[in-house]
Amino acid sequence: MAPAHPHPSQTPDSARPAQRRAARRIRARTRARTTLSALAVAAILGATTVATAAGPAAAASTAQPVNRPVPYSFAAGIAAELLTPGAAPPGSNDFGCKPTAAHPYPVVLVHGTFGDMTDSWQALSPLLANHGYCVFALNYGGAAGSIFQGYEEIAAGAGQLSAFIDQVLSATGAAKVDIVGHSQGGMLPRYYLDFLGGANKVDALVGLSPSNHGTTLDGLFGLLAAFPGGSSFLGSLCAACTEQAVGSSFLTNLNAGGDTVPGVRYTVISTKYDEVVTPYTSQFLSGPSVTNITLQNQCGLDFADHLAVIYDPVALNDVLNALDPAHHVPVGCTLVLPVLGG
């Protein structure tokens, strides 16, 4: 029969030093845990205090270059739309941002038909912010909260753009803005410039595959018009679609007085692989202070189509140069795929 464990009061003297050493180790570990816990709490409180104190200062600070990730892939836009639908793209819509002397004009980003600011500007918005611009983006021409925007009448969308630009100018104190738009978003600001008093509020308009003179949509619009009621049916679903067809009354009115207005610099960036605004040469503008760019004249590896152009590093480099021609950045050449981008 095994001997019974001795009661603590009966512990032999030879065992007591080992117990005392074990007790000291336990007390030391307890003090260490207590000290670490206190330090962790202090660190959390300190970080919270710093973040709270830094918040207002950051909101009121001037734009500074920041190294944000720039994903040159349309998949990044789709992922952002799925994860955070309707959210402002990275680096944008800080209404406390104050422009610098290097970049005195805030940049307003205008998406295209059926797009929105979330899926369109996951690359260009952080790229511009990384270069020290105050960047702003809006949704227009669709139901609030819908992931599909830009399908309502273009004049109404231009009115929304006008109100948004006034808000940006008021918040930043800037005299003018620069505008970068894709597809309809590259053409719609021209209505704002021509008819809504925007000419005195805009320094530069940069269009990525803009529908400046309408589109045949590779003949689809003509085919649809051949069927009785086809055009009116499309117009009931998407007013902006029929207004962007070649020969529409909207575009006839827009272009009747010429392509440009005095005092505004225009840049058009197009791809010959555009399958939406066709022919791609219809995107180009005529007039003073106009630069028309075909991407493939710069890079034979650039196969960007209508969607990929907003995630094309070659095209977005052209945007940087259009906004700040005095500090030209050499345009590189890299493989760019249709739909996906660079």
Side-chain angles (χ1 to χ4, degrees), residues 67-78:
N67 189 25
R68 297 176 179 84
V70 179
Y72 291 108
S73 171
F74 197 82
I78 299 302

Side-chain angles (χ1 to χ4, degrees), residues 74 81 86-87 89 108-122 124 136-143 146-152 154 157 160-161 164 179-189 206 208-211 240 244 306 310:
F74 197 82
E81 193 69 82
V108 176
L109 305 179
V110 188
H111 62 76
T113 310
F114 296 132
D116 72 352
M117 64 177 172
T118 309
D119 60 31
S120 296
W121 306 120
Q122 293 297 311
L124 183 55
F136 298 88
L138 79 158
N139 288 334
Y140 71 91
S146 172
I147 63 173
F148 298 108
Q149 298 286 320
Y151 55 82
E152 295 176 346
I154 297 173
Q160 291 176 279
L161 174 63
F164 186 76
I179 300 175
V180 181
H182 175 232
S183 192
Q184 180 194 162
M187 173 273 294
L188 174 149
V206 182
L208 291 155
S209 295
S211 52
Q244 291 176 88
H306 189 77
I310 54 177

Side-chain angles (χ1 to χ4, degrees), residues 205-260:
L205 170 59
V206 182
L208 291 155
S209 295
S211 52
N212 282 318
H213 298 101
T215 176
T216 65
L217 203 60
D218 277 336
L220 179 60
F221 277 130
L223 178 64
L224 191 65
F227 290 90
S231 294
S232 60
F233 172 72
L234 178 61
S236 67
L237 300 176
C238 175
C241 295
T242 54
E243 288 181 330
Q244 291 176 88
V246 168
S248 72
S249 58
F250 175 85
L251 287 173
T252 299
N253 180 49
L254 176 65
N255 294 313
D259 291 351
T260 64

Side-chain angles (χ1 to χ4, degrees), residues 79 144 212 283 339:
N212 282 318
Q283 302 168 18
V339 180

Side-chain angles (χ1 to χ4, degrees), residues 167-297:
Q167 184 183 2
V168 169
L169 292 175
S170 176
T172 61
K176 295 182 178 182
V177 300
D178 289 330
I179 300 175
V180 181
H182 175 232
S183 192
Q184 180 194 162
M187 173 273 294
L188 174 149
R190 292 180 53 221
Y191 188 93
Y192 165 65
L193 297 175
D194 286 9
F195 303 112
L196 301 181
N200 294 326
K201 301 176 183 179
V202 176
D203 172 66
L205 170 59
V206 182
L208 291 155
S209 295
S211 52
N212 282 318
H213 298 101
T215 176
T216 65
L217 203 60
D218 277 336
L220 179 60
F221 277 130
L223 178 64
L224 191 65
F227 290 90
S231 294
S232 60
F233 172 72
L234 178 61
S236 67
L237 300 176
C238 175
C241 295
T242 54
E243 288 181 330
Q244 291 176 88
V246 168
S248 72
S249 58
F250 175 85
L251 287 173
T252 299
N253 180 49
L254 176 65
N255 294 313
D259 291 351
T260 64
V261 297
V264 178
R265 296 183 296 109
Y266 296 82
T267 302
V268 175
I269 302 168
S270 301
T271 170
K272 69 179 184 180
Y273 300 114
D274 199 313
E275 76 281 28
V276 175
V277 180
T278 54
Y280 79 91
T281 52
S282 69
Q283 302 168 18
F284 295 145
L285 296 172
S286 298
S289 302
V290 171
T291 301
N292 294 312
I293 298 172
T294 300
L295 290 169
Q296 287 71 37
N297 291 343

Side-chain angles (χ1 to χ4, degrees), residues 45-62 94 96:
L45 290 175
T48 304
T49 303
V50 170
T52 303
S61 65
T62 56
D94 174 8

